[in-house]
Amino acid sequence: MAKDSVGTPPYFNIDPDAALAELDAPLSTAGFSRIAQACAQGRADLASRGMDEEGQKRLRLFSTWEITRYLIPVAQAHFRRVLKQNPDLPQGRSETEGGAKWFTLDEVLRLRSHFASEGSKAKEYRPYRPQGLAAKLVAVANFKGGVGKTSTCAHLAMSAALDGYKVLVIDLDSQGSMTSIFGGKVEDEWQTVFPLLARHYAGYLRAENQRRMDRGEAPQPLDETLSEALGVTAKDIIQKTHWPNIDLIGAQLNLYWAEFQIPVWRMNGRGWKLWDALTDMLQADGVLDEYDLVFIDTPPALGYLTINGLAAADILLVPLGASFLEFDSTGRFFDMLHSTFASIEEGENMAARALGRDEMAFQWDAVRAVITRYDDNQQAELGALMQAYLGRTLSPHRQGYTALIGQAGEQVSGIYEADYRDFNRETYARGRETFDATYAAFKRLLLGIWRREELAAKTADELGAA
């Protein structure tokens, strides 16, 4: 009789004594510290791969081929001609005699400005941006981890920067992955959004104390944290990154303390509108006038930090994979969003109706779910099914998984930071297509929103002048 070539499953016939011999001693609380230290050492080693000799991240250079294909829409010959005719413009540098010219992104931005002022008016050298309108805030959120939330947020921020927009990235996730991608240095919670939230509550408490004293009541004292927060502005915590037109408000583990502190403040001050804290502070500090786009990376949970990010957002993007579990989890996420914000609206509007004031309602310019890590060979049927159920809420573009993602993850960087010479031009061009298409879908959404507001403002001005 022929033997079974497959054999028995590996979970049969495990010898208990052999298993015991392989077993480690029980772990104490101190063991978690040892594991954390090992991870910290590994993280520092991996993060250093993308840094220079001084321990700083440095953005790679961009070749003439890459600039004329992806960044400035002119022919290479014309690009070279313009540089020759304008020696005061950045001329780039060659790594070999007679080799290709390479430029920093800051130099590319200067060249783009020159072409925008001197070149053909029929070409889009600068991206569309209406005058007089505030920056658009974009929150990327889902309470299921592993859906590509942070990578989607980072790549959109980089795409927008390459397109010429000035970008601020806000990391609300205490894991700090977005902060690592952009090389941020955050020592404690005072270099995160925490002092902005504390300052917002302190401002409420001071106003409430004035009302108390007007009624002859004793004020509530401001503790040391709130007093210190009153002196912190957004500009104090915004840091530069290795991208010339991307700035960062970073995060680190201590930021999670906000999830415990915010409900305490809310209990002590029932009238405090905690969901408006981030929005109000960014507006008060003039941040929304200094940037074109603000990308907010939220934690994988619907906590107080996420609520602040979602309430601040004009555009909400929800990444998810093309799987049943992620589709199911995302549906529950939207259900929780409805319950949370409807509850806030109802609570606020009960008081507003009693006092004869206008009622409030949250509103987003656009909400889109985006399929990430998509494999057309394996997930086409489920992707089509999700599209049928979600309709226009689900972006028709599906972000595929490419080799560029793997390399970028190993180098703690984004795919736009990868040098195409590590592949070849054709492989690089194919690899970034899916991310370019993701940004194109987002940009179409953004431009439509800005155009709608621009036309509405124009109509209002005309009615006011009539």
Side-chain angles (χ1 to χ4, degrees), residues 130-149:
Q131 294 294 320
L133 297 181
K136 283 297 175 186
L137 288 87
V138 185
V140 184
N142 198 331
F143 63 25
K144 183 170 178 56
V147 296
K149 178 177 58 63

Side-chain angles (χ1 to χ4, degrees), residues 128 442-453:
Y128 172 77
F442 165 76
K443 185 178 178 182
R444 181 174 293 274
L445 202 65
L446 172 68
L447 266 56
I449 292 167
W450 261 334
R451 183 59 173 162
R452 181 170 63 192
E453 293 184 359

Side-chain angles (χ1 to χ4, degrees), residues 33-54:
S33 176
R34 292 193 298 272
I35 297 171
Q37 290 173 9
C39 289
Q41 291 173 355
R43 177 189 176 281
D45 177 59
L46 289 170
S48 68
R49 295 182 182 183
M51 296 181 179
D52 59 18
E53 297 80 6
E54 299 175 355

